[in-house]
Amino acid sequence: MRLDITVLPGDGVGPEVTREAVRILRTVLDVYGYEASFEERAIGGVAIRQFGTPLPEPTARACTESHAVLLGAVGGPEFDSLPAGERPEAGLLGLRRALGGYANLRPAVAYGAIADCSPLRPEVVKGADVLIVRELLGGIYFGEPRGFSDASAPAAYNTMRYSVPEVERVAHVAFRQAQLRRRKVTSVDKANVLETSQLWRQTVTRVGREYPEVRLEHMYVDSCALRLITNPGSFDVIVTENLFGDILSDEAAVISGSLGMLASATIGGKVDLYEPVHGSAPDIAGAGVANPLGAIASAALLLRHSAGLEAGAQDIEDAIREVLDAGYRTADLNRGRAKRVVSTAEMGALVETAVADVADRRRAYHAV
Ligand code: IPM
Ligand code: MN
């Protein structure tokens, strides 16, 4: 089996964390006898500086011609004054559109070893394991018309728009994921105010009838924002529209204790896209202190969804747990009790050693 991966390190801490994710991927793919190629391309601010555009054509082409795309992060303060369509973020939105993945999976898991990193009490986060399925190609992010009105009466507008098929396809992803988990879907909307949400709720309800074994509940987004931090354990799969999902998935980071832990997979299109949720973190970029575990966990999702290598995905997830259990922490996870505070590269090396061990053990077990 051969896997061609396009790597888009991007901006800020993106290159640092992506390097570690690639290192882990190489190790695991090697263990399982996969051949892999990694081709690096520019996106975001780096691409603006180099090519004058956040999504150069060769980058888009390389991505659509590969089996999977692994991205670091885009964005930085030096681009803040650019119009929305020219910013680094426009490169990422353009890439998402070009690849066509409409379902963005963002798991948030409470790891016992770092429960003290969460601002929530340990008994509140204990055992929480939420999968946010965020609609990624519609809603207010892409709706037309949008823009600024003329300067004589300064105003700006965006459009939230959803069609039935757009809601149906992401709802199916959520229900299928729930079938593999604890069989509960919470559909999040603002149906007490927004027409798009009323359509969302009706459509999800209808799709839900095809999955009688999955329990469906509906929740307003404001209420969900509260429940995520008061009772995260009550959720299994959350499905929601683009902007709500963007906001709720950052909030869900309190379950793991750091935004640096969260991974994502964007599936359903021509080529799937994997990226940590944390963004470019310009304040710590280049310092070698960023947490690579979100990027490494994204690599696990890549093996699961794009390579059909579930065992390899689990090896990485087990290795992350082992390294945390052993007391190693990047700075964002340090609450004073860390056995050792490690750099980005040291954390990558620790996971690499652990993953090789875990994979060996799994193979030895299967051999007997
Ligand atoms: C995310 C990010 C992006 C988004 C930005 C960088 C465009 O915040 O992936 O959550 O809003 O989708
Ligand atoms: Mn976001």
Side-chain angles (χ1 to χ4, degrees), residues 96 106 134 141 245-247 249-250 277:
R96 286 176 181 169
R106 298 189 160 187
R134 169 187 175 193
Y141 270 59
D246 178 47
I247 298 167
S249 58
D250 267 31
V277 175

Side-chain angles (χ1 to χ4, degrees), residues 32-56:
Y32 287 91
Y34 279 54
E35 259 186 64
S37 77
F38 295 87
E39 191 178 320
E40 251 187 48
R41 296 283 172 169
I43 194 168
V46 176
I48 294 176
R49 265 185 247 116
Q50 230 180 316
F51 302 99
T53 165
L55 182 61

Side-chain angles (χ1 to χ4, degrees), residues 74-75 89-90 92-93 96 104 106 134 136 141 242 245-246 249-250 264 275-277 279:
V74 297
E89 289 83 349
L92 176 55
L93 297 176
R96 286 176 181 169
N104 181 222
R106 298 189 160 187
R134 169 187 175 193
L136 204 65
Y141 270 59
N242 204 342
D246 178 47
S249 58
D250 267 31
S264 90
E275 47 179 320
V277 175

Side-chain angles (χ1 to χ4, degrees), residues 174-175 178-179 182-187 204 208 211-218 227 233-237 239:
F175 284 108
Q179 285 177 322
R182 300 190 306 281
R183 294 194 290 280
K184 181 179 175 195
V185 168
T186 305
S187 174
V204 174
Y211 302 86
E213 71 287 10
V214 177
R215 200 147 41 95
L216 170 64
E217 68 176 0
H218 298 279
R227 183 115 81 89
S234 65
F235 293 104
D236 179 18
V237 174
V239 63

